[in-house]
Amino acid sequence: MTKEKILFTSESVSEGHPDKVCDQISDAVLDACLKVDKNAHVACECFATTNFILVGGEITCKEKIDVVSIVKSVLKKIGYDKPEYGCDYHSIEIVDKIQQQSSDINMGVSQVNPEDLGAGDQGMMFGYATNETEGYMPLPIVFAHKLVREASEQRHKGIFKGARPDMKSQVTIDYTDPNHLRIDNILMSVQHDPDVDLDEFKKYIHDKIMVKVARSFGFNEDFKYLINPTGRFVIGGPAGDTGLTGRKIIVDTYGGSAHHGGGAFSGKDPSKVDRSGAYMARYIAKNLVAAGVADRLEVQLAYAIGVNYPLSVGIKTFKTAKYSDDVILEIIEKVFDCRPGMIIKNFSLKEPSFRYQDISNYGHFGRPDVNLPWERLDKVEEIKKLLK
């Protein structure tokens, strides 16, 4: 009897995807606010369509931010610089509808002492870690990110001829033999100029991107693949599909390998636990897995608006734990301070030197290219001592 395959799939998108355009703009606005006022409260949303950007939300900041300049700077960096793209930073219409944050919300989250800072909203957040990759991230999402990242970097360098900014990837990993993982199939959709030779374009994507990335992981090169399955992909970016901030929450996290509380990250200052709480949950999970507590571990935190401690802390170990749940939860309580103000303080999340825009693409976790405080493994030895 043939053994049924065990498959898992994750996707990623490039910086030129319409939703990611909006994430980058929202995070660029956040960065600009924190640069002039580290205590700014920001909830910035963005909407993008054909040569039009709407930026709205609630912001409390000491200085008014030049939203128009920020939007144009983001689009220029991505490469939306030609009228034929349907999104051109030179001529795009930009509408600024930002208003002051509600005084009712501000009252509950504006305490002076970090220990007293209440959560900016209610909700639950999840963090996850697995030892299947060096960065303690699920393999499918790491692979998917690397595909679009490689393609985008080659486009910026001018060696990926005919490619435009909007790209998507999807990777299916075969887990049937846990000691011999394989790529089952790869899908890529890459926007292109109208005059490209489609056969040559697809061959380049297979040979110079898909195979190159597969080799970097040491995986098989005989995978099934699809490239631009509809045929042509000339109209893309905000001109091809409306973009919104916070619509790629699975791409931003674990590619579907873990639960998600539903809250997006981009455009939110760290008093919003949708963001800081998710970073803390990842920090806890990663340090516990690195300490050998479990091979896979998911952490859930839940908060109430204005309250300075989590309402609950939960874990899931997927039958990979070396210790009981009680022991693991006791370690979390002893080692990790999950109060919102202390998360902000310990991770330096309000410092002007930290750029949220740098992590608005290619995931917020498992990023060796960016020095992220929630990716540090500085609690591993403390956890191991407690386990003894």
Side-chain angles (χ1 to χ4, degrees), residues 89-244:
Y89 82 91
H90 296 97
S91 60
I92 194 164
E93 181 184 358
I94 302 165
V95 175
D96 177 0
K97 286 292 184 179
I98 289 173
Q99 59 187 10
Q100 281 281 108
Q101 184 188 47
S102 162
S103 58
D104 292 344
I105 295 175
N106 192 55
M107 180 175 59
V109 297
S110 296
Q111 301 298 325
V112 174
N113 298 322
E115 296 86 353
D116 300 326
L117 183 71
D121 202 351
Q122 71 174 50
M124 65 283 190
M125 303 85 220
F126 290 90
Y128 178 78
T130 170
N131 60 12
E132 69 181 270
T133 64
E134 185 178 349
Y136 297 92
M137 286 289 288
L139 176 62
I141 187 65
V142 174
F143 202 118
H145 283 323
K146 193 165 185 178
L147 284 168
V148 285
R149 188 165 202 159
E150 177 68 32
S152 292
E153 287 177 356
Q154 291 191 26
R155 177 181 66 83
H156 279 295
K157 291 176 181 177
I159 57 178
F160 186 7
K161 304 297 184 183
R164 289 184 173 183
D166 193 359
M167 307 176 187
K168 298 177 75 171
S169 69
Q170 188 170 286
V171 178
T172 300
I173 300 295
D174 185 347
Y175 283 90
T176 308
D177 180 354
N179 297 314
H180 186 58
L181 304 184
R182 290 175 52 82
I183 308 166
D184 186 79
N185 66 79
I186 300 176
L187 164 64
M188 288 195 75
S189 294
V190 180
Q191 185 189 13
H192 57 81
D193 292 338
D195 57 349
V196 300
D197 184 307
L198 291 178
D199 290 335
E200 289 185 8
F201 191 73
K202 290 182 178 182
K203 186 177 188 305
Y204 184 93
I205 292 171
H206 174 266
D207 295 350
K208 303 299 183 181
I209 298 171
M210 290 181 172
V211 172
K212 180 180 178 180
V213 173
R215 285 176 180 167
S216 73
F217 284 94
F219 277 123
N220 57 298
E221 299 175 23
D222 60 345
F223 50 82
K224 302 182 290 256
Y225 66 94
L226 285 171
I227 299 171
N228 289 10
T230 60
R232 282 166 56 87
F233 182 18
V234 175
I235 301 172
D241 192 10
T242 299
L244 290 170

Side-chain angles (χ1 to χ4, degrees), residues 115 280 308 332-333 335-340 342-343 346:
E115 296 86 353
M280 187 64 190
N308 70 334
I332 293 174
E333 184 177 359
V335 176
F336 300 98
D337 192 337
C338 297
R339 290 174 292 176
M342 297 309 294
I343 297 171
N346 293 333

